[in-house]
Structures are given as structure tokens and as C-alpha cells.
Amino acid sequence: MTPADAGKATLDPSPGSVAAQGSSAATDASETHEKPVRPMRADARRNYDKILATARIVFTERGTDSSLDEIAKRAGVGPGTLYRHFPTRAALVDALMQDWTDRVAADADAAIATGQPAREMLLGWFEHFIDHITLHRGAASKICAAMDDPASPMYRKCRVMGDANRRVIEHLDARGELRTGVDPANVMRLVSGVASVADTSHAELDVRPMLEVVVDGIVRA
Amino acid sequence: MTPADAGKATLDPSPGSVAAQGSSAATDASETHEKPVRPMRADARRNYDKILATARIVFTERGTDSSLDEIAKRAGVGPGTLYRHFPTRAALVDALMQDWTDRVAADADAAIATGQPAREMLLGWFEHFIDHITLHRGAASKICAAMDDPASPMYRKCRVMGDANRRVIEHLDARGELRTGVDPANVMRLVSGVASVADTSHAELDVRPMLEVVVDGIVRA
DNA sequence: CCACAATACGGAGACAGTCTCCGTTTCCGC
DNA sequence: GCGGAAACGGAGACTGTCTCCGTATTGTGG
């Protein structure tokens, strides 16, 4: 669509890798037998990128439930092309998620690096996390659903975010600042739940008070 | 889009009362001018009931996102009839909610009556609450959305449930067992969020651990 | 008990979104 | 350049939402 994105090219989902269309979970068969993974054809890559750039815009404007055909149209490709690259909506959201999973992981480490007391650290981390996953309306609840569904294309990236969270929790736990028996996975669900509520809610509600309750339920009394 | 928001007509099949479609959500203009609320015609009431009964079955079987046309078909009425009685899906869910709002309110009072310590009482109450609002798949997140949206047909009943929750919280607060500054509305959102996560999740996950965190965040340390 | 206005019915069909199939076009290695 | 593999794109099948309006039902006043 706009000439801008053609040039900037939000390329390369992962460094040096070629976009693989089969989101099969078993893809790292790197040792047994290398698939003859040939690089994407030039036009394919061009369309892939155009679709992704357009999706980012449309999802930001109207949320992750926007019409996919419209995204295709605005990207200047046929519906068939969109569905070939992204067989499901989740696959498309997933491709977009790449950006933030990186940032989320970085945020977690940054939070740990601050060395703040548990309460402040958690509050900060949770707020950043929520900011990221509510970037596109509707994304938070999709993440909630994917988190415990290995069949979802987004499952992998949910794990990355889950790992980031686990690092923070375990760090604080090692410092002895948490209650006993805090399960990182549950914390993750809880915080995503808060994100989801905030995202779905018609009112612009502040997540802070809810997060405070969660944090108080986690830190050692 | 649709003139959905114009819809009101939350019919109230409460015992003995006759459904009145004119009753706008905004005003009980009961004093200025009585609407000539005439009783529903026999065939109308018959269909209304049939639709509701069918919806209860279908929503239980396949969740609250099932096709409305299918409900109409299975109820043996035309789509037009369904949409006349229930202009939006929310209106239909709302009508079904009547059952549980009553039960939820009763549960809250029962919880208070037990006189248990805060932790047990809250845990019990929250679990009952979640059991009710996750009866039909998809309902929990709709309730989350309606809770802070006065325009939703379900808003009224969300308030009833919110009031029930407030009673429990305030009771415990009066007993001095809660932290200072606990906001019932936020607790409600949080617990509904947990319900929503559990409901959306593909895995059958236990809400207990999450509720424990919330409860620990609420009760006095 | 009948006529007839008000009320409700129901289904055809407009509309929107998802997703696929397959004839056509584009790319890239030779 | 040429040829086959890879990718395109759009017509259209399908599903679900929601409306319009001719027809049927109801219950009331004569």
C-alpha cells in the first residue's frame, strides 16, 4: 500500500532465516535430515512482507479481529495469497508477535537488572508485559487461549514470554522475597487474564490496582 | 454498523411478571407515565420460551457463540422471530443469565452465613461464582466486557452479581480481615478474569491456584 | 361469534467474512 | 530464452448475521 513500507521492509522474522510456511512444531529436525529448504521466491517474500506490514496497521487500527480479506485487499494481494502464507488468523498474529516477544524478553531482563525490591520489580514488569500484549486489541485473549494450547501457532512465542516471566519470578524467589509455592505459569495466566480484561473492557480501566492485588498475593507477607 | 445499540428490551420473565418490551434500561419512568404495558400475546410468549429453552441447550452444548439461526431452527421458529425477541446475542445471553444471577446472589449470602475465616470464605465464594459464569462456554468473557459497559443488555445483571460480591467483601472488611483499600469492583474484575482465562483455555485448568493468589492479595497479611 | 386491527410469524435474501480451487502469471536455473 | 516449479489472485462455495414484508394468528369490541 503506502510506498513507505515497501522500502523499509519489516523483513526477516528471524535473523538469517527464511520464513517457513509450515508452522509444524517439529521444524528443528536440524540433525536428522536437512530439508532442502530453498529460499523463498522473490515475489513470495515481497507479498509476505506486504501482508505483514498491512496487518500490523490494520490490527492496530481495528484490532486482531479485522477482516482478513480486507487486509489482503489493502496489501494489494488476493485472499488466496494471504491464506497461503498465513493459513489461520493465529498464524498471522503469531508472525506479528515476533516483535514483542523479543521486547518482552528484554523487558524481563531489564526488570531483573534494576535490582528493585520484589513489589516494585513485579509491578513494573507486569505493566510492561501488559502494554505489549495489548498493543493490538483482541490479542491478549488470543494469547490466553494459546498459552495452554500446544496446537496453536502462537504457542511457541507464548512459551518465550512465559520463560521471560519465569526468569523474573525465579530470580525473586531465589532472593527469598516470594511466598512459597508460587507457580510462574499461574502468574503468567493471571497477568494475561488482567490484560485480557483490560483489553475487552469498554471502559478504559487502569490495570494497576488489579496488578497490585496479584503482586500482594505473590510476594512474601 | 447495525443499530444494535438501540436495542433494549430485556424481557423479564420473572415469576408472575409479564415481559415488557418497552422498558428501557435507562429509566424506570414508573412515576411520570405508566406505559400501557400489555401482556405478551400467547403465541409470542410460547415462542419466547421455546427460544430460551433451546438456547440454554445449545449454549451448553456448543457455547455462547453458536449460530443464532441454528437456535431458531431448532426451536422451530424463523430467524426473524428470534431477532425480534432478542435483538442481539447479548440480549439472549442476558435472558439466560437470570437463572444464575439469582443463584449467585444466594451463594454470596450463603458464604457470608458460614462465618468462615476470610480466606476460606473468599475461596469458596469465588469458586462458586466462577462455576456459575462458566456454565456456558464463552459467557465469562462476555460478562467481563459487559461489566463496565452500561450500554450492554447484560450490564444490569452484572451489577447484581457485583453487588453480591460487594456484600461479601464489605462483610469481611467490617470484620477487619482485609487489607485496606480493597475495591470490590476490582476484585470482581480480577475473578471474572480468572474465569475468562479458565474458560478460554484449551487445557482444563484448575482455577484454585489462581484464586489463592488473588485471595492472598486481598486478605490482611 | 365474528370481524378486523393489532400483533407476531417466518423465510427469502442482502450482506459480510472465511477459505479453496484452479487457470494464469511470475520467477529462476539451465 | 525456455521450461517447469512456485506463486498468484479472484471467482465462488459456504456459513453466519440480520432485515423486510407478505401472511398468519390473536383477542377484543360490536
Side-chain angles (χ1 to χ4, degrees), chain B residues 9-128:
Chain B
T10 313
L11 304 188
D12 190 5
S14 337
S17 91
V18 184
Q21 47 206 144
S23 69
S24 110
T27 58
D28 353 286
S30 38
E31 34 178 344
T32 50
H33 263 311
E34 275 303 324
K35 275 289 179 58
V37 244
R38 79 181 55 231
M40 237 176 172
R41 235 173 68 172
D43 54 348
R45 153 124 270 143
R46 211 181 312 136
N47 282 328
Y48 179 95
D49 290 339
K50 256 195 297 184
I51 292 169
L52 221 46
T54 308
R56 183 171 292 115
I57 294 170
V58 176
F59 281 178
T60 303
E61 282 174 10
R62 300 214 236 303
T64 53
D65 288 321
S66 325
S67 157
L68 295 184
D69 274 25
E70 195 201 309
I71 291 175
K73 196 166 296 173
R74 281 177 57 169
V77 305
T81 300
L82 187 149
Y83 283 98
R84 194 169 335 99
H85 286 302
F86 308 100
T88 65
R89 170 178 255 100
L92 185 50
V93 174
D94 179 66
L96 247 18
M97 276 178 71
Q98 184 59 48
D99 293 357
W100 7 305
T101 50
D102 296 345
R103 249 172 287 158
V104 163
D107 278 352
D109 296 327
I112 293 172
T114 64
Q116 290 173 317
R119 202 164 193 284
E120 283 69 44
M121 189 189 293
L122 286 173
L123 238 23
W125 153 242
F126 290 160
E127 275 192 331
H128 275 120

Side-chain angles (χ1 to χ4, degrees), chain A residues 20-42:
Chain A
Q21 45 210 137
S23 53
S24 104
T27 24
D28 347 286
S30 36
E31 34 177 344
T32 50
H33 262 310
E34 275 303 325
K35 274 288 179 61
V37 242
R38 78 183 56 230
M40 239 175 172
R41 238 173 65 171

Side-chain angles (χ1 to χ4, degrees), chain A residues 141-157:
Chain A
S141 63
K142 285 181 178 58
I143 289 173
C144 281
M147 202 177 308
D148 294 293
D149 174 21
S152 166
M154 296 191 270
Y155 182 69
R156 281 289 183 86
K157 288 185 186 100

